[in-house]
């Protein structure tokens, strides 16, 4: 047995350097396909982090290992993703779930699922891909009305060209602090939408 000490980033960098099976996540900024989500139903989750309790050191390391491993060497994207997830866990009653996937080296999907910490009638309210900092939300353009978005906010929002039945119609990349703040507001709006249905 070997014990490795260091920060989460140092541990991930060590694993990346010593693992020939390291997998780089795709850069698709979209909700997972039906094929992907087949591996991420609640009984197939690898682990969940809940806002109802503070992160244990083990959970924090697992989260950082996932984010740093999926975000690659883009420091800004890694930092934005880490801050965003921590803020959600601190301020919203949510669950962040790591899905399972048979297509990755570590058995985890390449995205985090953000769900309401209540009855699970709808699944995720958002999907977060650390590989590109993309947040895909369970919102439609109509859901954005009444949120008081200004033109700069609207510049961060990317409507998705998806089937009318697809509930994930909005992307909001974590490109910078303003994009992350807007994504947080949109996750909150998505939570309110599913809680009122």
């Amino acid at each position: 047995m070997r014990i490795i000490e260091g920060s989460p980033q140092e541990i991930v960098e060590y694993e990346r350097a010593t693992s020939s099976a390291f997998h780089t996540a795709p850069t698709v900024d979209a909700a997972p396909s039906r094929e992907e989500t087949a591996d991420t139903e609640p009984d197939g989750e690898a682990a969940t982090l809940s806002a109802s309790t503070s992160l244990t050191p083990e959970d924090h390391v697992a989260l950082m290992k996932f984010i740093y491993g999926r975000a690659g060497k883009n420091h800004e994207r890694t930092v934005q993703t880490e801050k965003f997830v921590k803020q959600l866990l601190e301020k919203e009653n949510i669950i962040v779930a790591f899905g399972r996937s048979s297509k990755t080296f570590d058995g985890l999907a390449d995205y985090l699922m953000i769900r309401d910490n209540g009855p699970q009638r709808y699944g995720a309210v958002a999907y977060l891909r650390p590989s590109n900092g993309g947040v895909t939300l369970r919102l439609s353009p109509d859901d954005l009305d009444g949120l008081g978005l200004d033109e700069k906010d609207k510049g961060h929002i990317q409507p998705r060209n998806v089937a009318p039945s697809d509930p994930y119609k909005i992307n909001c990349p974590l490109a910078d602090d303003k994009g992350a703040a807007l994504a947080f507001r949109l996750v909150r709006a998505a939570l309110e939408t599913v809680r009122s249905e």
Side-chain angles (χ1 to χ4, degrees), residues 21-37:
F22 185 76
H23 169 77
T24 302
T27 58
V28 176
D29 187 15
S33 66
R34 290 182 195 270
E35 183 178 299
E36 287 179 297
T37 57

PDB file of all heavy atoms in Angstrom, residues 21-37:
ATOM      1  N   ALA A  21      -4.113   5.048 -18.203  1.00  0.00           N
ATOM      2  CA  ALA A  21      -5.526   4.941 -18.582  1.00  0.00           C
ATOM      3  C   ALA A  21      -6.271   6.250 -18.412  1.00  0.00           C
ATOM      4  O   ALA A  21      -7.478   6.283 -18.483  1.00  0.00           O
ATOM      5  CB  ALA A  21      -6.198   3.861 -17.729  1.00  0.00           C
ATOM      6  N   PHE A  22      -5.535   7.361 -18.188  1.00  0.00           N
ATOM      7  CA  PHE A  22      -6.230   8.624 -17.960  1.00  0.00           C
ATOM      8  C   PHE A  22      -7.064   8.982 -19.172  1.00  0.00           C
ATOM      9  O   PHE A  22      -6.644   8.861 -20.304  1.00  0.00           O
ATOM     10  CB  PHE A  22      -5.242   9.755 -17.658  1.00  0.00           C
ATOM     11  CG  PHE A  22      -5.940  11.030 -17.314  1.00  0.00           C
ATOM     12  CD1 PHE A  22      -6.526  11.201 -16.075  1.00  0.00           C
ATOM     13  CD2 PHE A  22      -6.044  12.031 -18.243  1.00  0.00           C
ATOM     14  CE1 PHE A  22      -7.194  12.365 -15.770  1.00  0.00           C
ATOM     15  CE2 PHE A  22      -6.726  13.202 -17.939  1.00  0.00           C
ATOM     16  CZ  PHE A  22      -7.293  13.360 -16.706  1.00  0.00           C
ATOM     17  N   HIS A  23      -8.280   9.444 -18.912  1.00  0.00           N
ATOM     18  CA  HIS A  23      -9.249   9.740 -19.962  1.00  0.00           C
ATOM     19  C   HIS A  23      -9.547  11.227 -19.958  1.00  0.00           C
ATOM     20  O   HIS A  23      -9.818  11.799 -18.922  1.00  0.00           O
ATOM     21  CB  HIS A  23     -10.533   8.951 -19.666  1.00  0.00           C
ATOM     22  CG  HIS A  23     -11.692   9.354 -20.499  1.00  0.00           C
ATOM     23  ND1 HIS A  23     -11.825   8.973 -21.805  1.00  0.00           N
ATOM     24  CD2 HIS A  23     -12.771  10.112 -20.206  1.00  0.00           C
ATOM     25  CE1 HIS A  23     -12.955   9.469 -22.273  1.00  0.00           C
ATOM     26  NE2 HIS A  23     -13.541  10.163 -21.323  1.00  0.00           N
ATOM     27  N   THR A  24      -9.483  11.863 -21.103  1.00  0.00           N
ATOM     28  CA  THR A  24      -9.851  13.261 -21.204  1.00  0.00           C
ATOM     29  C   THR A  24     -11.319  13.354 -21.547  1.00  0.00           C
ATOM     30  O   THR A  24     -11.775  12.723 -22.483  1.00  0.00           O
ATOM     31  CB  THR A  24      -9.019  13.958 -22.297  1.00  0.00           C
ATOM     32  OG1 THR A  24      -7.648  13.796 -21.974  1.00  0.00           O
ATOM     33  CG2 THR A  24      -9.356  15.432 -22.381  1.00  0.00           C
ATOM     34  N   ALA A  25     -12.046  14.157 -20.793  1.00  0.00           N
ATOM     35  CA  ALA A  25     -13.492  14.269 -20.993  1.00  0.00           C
ATOM     36  C   ALA A  25     -13.798  14.996 -22.288  1.00  0.00           C
ATOM     37  O   ALA A  25     -13.054  15.862 -22.720  1.00  0.00           O
ATOM     38  CB  ALA A  25     -14.110  15.017 -19.823  1.00  0.00           C
ATOM     39  N   PRO A  26     -14.903  14.662 -22.930  1.00  0.00           N
ATOM     40  CA  PRO A  26     -15.296  15.365 -24.139  1.00  0.00           C
ATOM     41  C   PRO A  26     -15.695  16.797 -23.822  1.00  0.00           C
ATOM     42  O   PRO A  26     -16.031  17.117 -22.690  1.00  0.00           O
ATOM     43  CB  PRO A  26     -16.501  14.564 -24.643  1.00  0.00           C
ATOM     44  CG  PRO A  26     -17.039  13.886 -23.435  1.00  0.00           C
ATOM     45  CD  PRO A  26     -15.853  13.631 -22.547  1.00  0.00           C
ATOM     46  N   THR A  27     -15.672  17.645 -24.831  1.00  0.00           N
ATOM     47  CA  THR A  27     -15.997  19.048 -24.603  1.00  0.00           C
ATOM     48  C   THR A  27     -17.385  19.399 -25.116  1.00  0.00           C
ATOM     49  O   THR A  27     -17.627  20.508 -25.543  1.00  0.00           O
ATOM     50  CB  THR A  27     -14.948  19.955 -25.274  1.00  0.00           C
ATOM     51  OG1 THR A  27     -14.924  19.636 -26.670  1.00  0.00           O
ATOM     52  CG2 THR A  27     -13.587  19.769 -24.669  1.00  0.00           C
ATOM     53  N   VAL A  28     -18.300  18.481 -25.063  1.00  0.00           N
ATOM     54  CA  VAL A  28     -19.664  18.739 -25.498  1.00  0.00           C
ATOM     55  C   VAL A  28     -20.388  19.517 -24.409  1.00  0.00           C
ATOM     56  O   VAL A  28     -20.396  19.111 -23.260  1.00  0.00           O
ATOM     57  CB  VAL A  28     -20.395  17.406 -25.776  1.00  0.00           C
ATOM     58  CG1 VAL A  28     -21.843  17.652 -26.146  1.00  0.00           C
ATOM     59  CG2 VAL A  28     -19.672  16.635 -26.859  1.00  0.00           C
ATOM     60  N   ASP A  29     -20.979  20.650 -24.781  1.00  0.00           N
ATOM     61  CA  ASP A  29     -21.712  21.460 -23.814  1.00  0.00           C
ATOM     62  C   ASP A  29     -23.193  21.175 -23.959  1.00  0.00           C
ATOM     63  O   ASP A  29     -23.934  21.935 -24.547  1.00  0.00           O
ATOM     64  CB  ASP A  29     -21.426  22.942 -24.047  1.00  0.00           C
ATOM     65  CG  ASP A  29     -22.023  23.807 -22.963  1.00  0.00           C
ATOM     66  OD1 ASP A  29     -22.398  23.270 -21.911  1.00  0.00           O
ATOM     67  OD2 ASP A  29     -22.120  25.015 -23.166  1.00  0.00           O
ATOM     68  N   ALA A  30     -23.607  20.032 -23.444  1.00  0.00           N
ATOM     69  CA  ALA A  30     -25.001  19.639 -23.585  1.00  0.00           C
ATOM     70  C   ALA A  30     -25.381  18.718 -22.460  1.00  0.00           C
ATOM     71  O   ALA A  30     -24.537  18.136 -21.798  1.00  0.00           O
ATOM     72  CB  ALA A  30     -25.203  18.927 -24.923  1.00  0.00           C
ATOM     73  N   ALA A  31     -26.675  18.599 -22.250  1.00  0.00           N
ATOM     74  CA  ALA A  31     -27.166  17.621 -21.287  1.00  0.00           C
ATOM     75  C   ALA A  31     -26.788  16.249 -21.807  1.00  0.00           C
ATOM     76  O   ALA A  31     -26.619  16.046 -23.010  1.00  0.00           O
ATOM     77  CB  ALA A  31     -28.674  17.743 -21.140  1.00  0.00           C
ATOM     78  N   PRO A  32     -26.619  15.293 -20.932  1.00  0.00           N
ATOM     79  CA  PRO A  32     -26.248  13.957 -21.385  1.00  0.00           C
ATOM     80  C   PRO A  32     -27.339  13.341 -22.253  1.00  0.00           C
ATOM     81  O   PRO A  32     -28.516  13.649 -22.102  1.00  0.00           O
ATOM     82  CB  PRO A  32     -26.065  13.177 -20.087  1.00  0.00           C
ATOM     83  CG  PRO A  32     -26.694  13.980 -19.034  1.00  0.00           C
ATOM     84  CD  PRO A  32     -26.764  15.397 -19.504  1.00  0.00           C
ATOM     85  N   SER A  33     -26.905  12.479 -23.141  1.00  0.00           N
ATOM     86  CA  SER A  33     -27.857  11.792 -24.001  1.00  0.00           C
ATOM     87  C   SER A  33     -28.621  10.748 -23.201  1.00  0.00           C
ATOM     88  O   SER A  33     -28.252  10.408 -22.081  1.00  0.00           O
ATOM     89  CB  SER A  33     -27.108  11.095 -25.141  1.00  0.00           C
ATOM     90  OG  SER A  33     -26.307  10.057 -24.614  1.00  0.00           O
ATOM     91  N   ARG A  34     -29.685  10.208 -23.788  1.00  0.00           N
ATOM     92  CA  ARG A  34     -30.445   9.146 -23.115  1.00  0.00           C
ATOM     93  C   ARG A  34     -29.537   7.961 -22.795  1.00  0.00           C
ATOM     94  O   ARG A  34     -29.679   7.322 -21.772  1.00  0.00           O
ATOM     95  CB  ARG A  34     -31.609   8.693 -23.986  1.00  0.00           C
ATOM     96  CG  ARG A  34     -32.695   9.713 -24.099  1.00  0.00           C
ATOM     97  CD  ARG A  34     -33.841   9.163 -24.930  1.00  0.00           C
ATOM     98  NE  ARG A  34     -34.745  10.197 -25.350  1.00  0.00           N
ATOM     99  CZ  ARG A  34     -35.802  10.593 -24.657  1.00  0.00           C
ATOM    100  NH1 ARG A  34     -36.088  10.035 -23.521  1.00  0.00           N
ATOM    101  NH2 ARG A  34     -36.575  11.548 -25.114  1.00  0.00           N
ATOM    102  N   GLU A  35     -28.596   7.685 -23.686  1.00  0.00           N
ATOM    103  CA  GLU A  35     -27.666   6.583 -23.462  1.00  0.00           C
ATOM    104  C   GLU A  35     -26.799   6.837 -22.235  1.00  0.00           C
ATOM    105  O   GLU A  35     -26.572   5.971 -21.412  1.00  0.00           O
ATOM    106  CB  GLU A  35     -26.784   6.416 -24.702  1.00  0.00           C
ATOM    107  CG  GLU A  35     -25.831   5.249 -24.624  1.00  0.00           C
ATOM    108  CD  GLU A  35     -25.028   5.140 -25.909  1.00  0.00           C
ATOM    109  OE1 GLU A  35     -25.624   4.945 -26.984  1.00  0.00           O
ATOM    110  OE2 GLU A  35     -23.800   5.269 -25.814  1.00  0.00           O
ATOM    111  N   GLU A  36     -26.319   8.090 -22.090  1.00  0.00           N
ATOM    112  CA  GLU A  36     -25.511   8.434 -20.923  1.00  0.00           C
ATOM    113  C   GLU A  36     -26.321   8.356 -19.638  1.00  0.00           C
ATOM    114  O   GLU A  36     -25.850   7.852 -18.632  1.00  0.00           O
ATOM    115  CB  GLU A  36     -24.939   9.848 -21.059  1.00  0.00           C
ATOM    116  CG  GLU A  36     -23.827   9.980 -22.042  1.00  0.00           C
ATOM    117  CD  GLU A  36     -23.348  11.409 -22.128  1.00  0.00           C
ATOM    118  OE1 GLU A  36     -24.137  12.283 -22.531  1.00  0.00           O
ATOM    119  OE2 GLU A  36     -22.187  11.645 -21.777  1.00  0.00           O
ATOM    120  N   THR A  37     -27.537   8.894 -19.656  1.00  0.00           N
ATOM    121  CA  THR A  37     -28.313   8.932 -18.418  1.00  0.00           C
ATOM    122  C   THR A  37     -28.799   7.555 -18.015  1.00  0.00           C
ATOM    123  O   THR A  37     -29.189   7.358 -16.876  1.00  0.00           O
ATOM    124  CB  THR A  37     -29.519   9.886 -18.531  1.00  0.00           C
ATOM    125  OG1 THR A  37     -30.330   9.493 -19.636  1.00  0.00           O
ATOM    126  CG2 THR A  37     -29.076  11.318 -18.688  1.00  0.00           C
TER     127      THR A  37
END
